[in-house]
Amino acid sequence: MIRPIVKFGDQVLHREAAKVTDISADIAALVQDMIETMYAAPGVGLAAPQIGVPLRVFVVDVTGGRSRDSLLAFINPEFVEREGMQLEEEGCLSVPGFNATVARPSRAAVKGIDLEGRERTVEGTGLLARAFQHEMDHLDGRVFVDRLRGIQRDLIVRRIRKLTRSGKWS
Ligand code: NI
């Protein structure tokens, strides 16, 4: 089931998400919904808080569904390695219409539980490393806008406030 994506300003996006304590059928259904929602958007990654669920779960497919082999789902993910730095433009399904250049690691390895309940470690470079960091940030209540500095961040936040006031941000 495709779920509505919440936007920047919704409190669920600005709070730390909780660990999943039980890999149940509910979690499997949640992950399926997240995959459908990500592909429908379309996007290359989605974290559970983005559909209003404050749990540490994310899905990523840097091919956007062109190669389903590259679909990854992580429950309770954590970084086991991060190194280097890349600067690329990035956006977020919860901040539609805005992009900014964000510094991210150029290589990152994430360890978490997959849908079969197995522990899995995946290493990514380039876009995948960026996506890992972007989605992990969501689980910590951080959106890419929060990674920007002073004036750049203020500008986006001000524009979003304006859109919110005029009823164009919901
Ligand atoms: Ni995002």
Side-chain angles (χ1 to χ4, degrees):
M1 185 176 69
I2 295 168
R3 309 247 208 130
I5 295 174
V6 300
K7 289 187 181 169
F8 185 94
D10 189 310
Q11 278 315 300
V12 72
L13 287 177
H14 306 284
R15 274 193 213 124
E16 201 180 327
K19 269 197 162 187
V20 174
T21 51
D22 178 23
I23 319 275
S24 61
D26 287 354
I27 293 296
L30 169 70
V31 173
Q32 284 313 317
D33 285 356
M34 288 172 62
I35 293 166
E36 277 182 51
T37 305
M38 170 178 74
Y39 284 143
V44 296
L46 190 78
Q50 291 185 274
I51 55 165
V53 179
L55 290 174
R56 304 188 76 82
V57 180
F58 75 74
V59 295
V60 158
D61 180 348
V62 292
T63 73
R66 283 190 301 278
S67 160
R68 293 269 174 139
D69 291 347
S70 53
L71 173 64
L72 297 168
F74 283 106
I75 298 159
N76 297 339
E78 49 187 271
F79 283 118
V80 286
E81 256 182 272
R82 262 183 295 185
E83 62 169 36
M85 201 265 274
Q86 55 169 317
L87 279 171
E88 294 290 338
E89 190 152 271
E90 159 175 339
C92 177
L93 294 174
S94 293
V95 197
F98 294 93
N99 290 287
T101 301
V102 185
R104 299 292 193 186
S106 52
R107 199 177 73 82
V110 168
K111 181 175 84 177
I113 309 293
D114 68 14
L115 257 188
E116 280 77 50
R118 288 178 304 226
E119 192 173 271
R120 189 170 176 200
T121 301
V122 178
E123 190 189 306
T125 58
L127 181 56
L128 187 54
R130 165 171 300 279
F132 280 165
Q133 182 68 68
H134 180 112
E135 302 312 328
M136 288 292 274
D137 273 359
H138 274 303
L139 305 186
D140 293 328
R142 219 166 11 217
V143 180
F144 81 90
V145 177
D146 302 317
R147 291 275 187 190
L148 305 175
R149 288 190 204 162
I151 208 159
Q152 221 190 348
R153 182 183 191 282
D154 293 348
L155 200 69
I156 295 181
V157 171
R158 230 178 293 145
R159 285 201 194 134
I160 291 173
R161 275 201 204 117
K162 215 168 155 186
L163 288 167
T164 306
R165 277 197 302 271
S166 56
K168 290 174 187 151
W169 191 258
S170 56

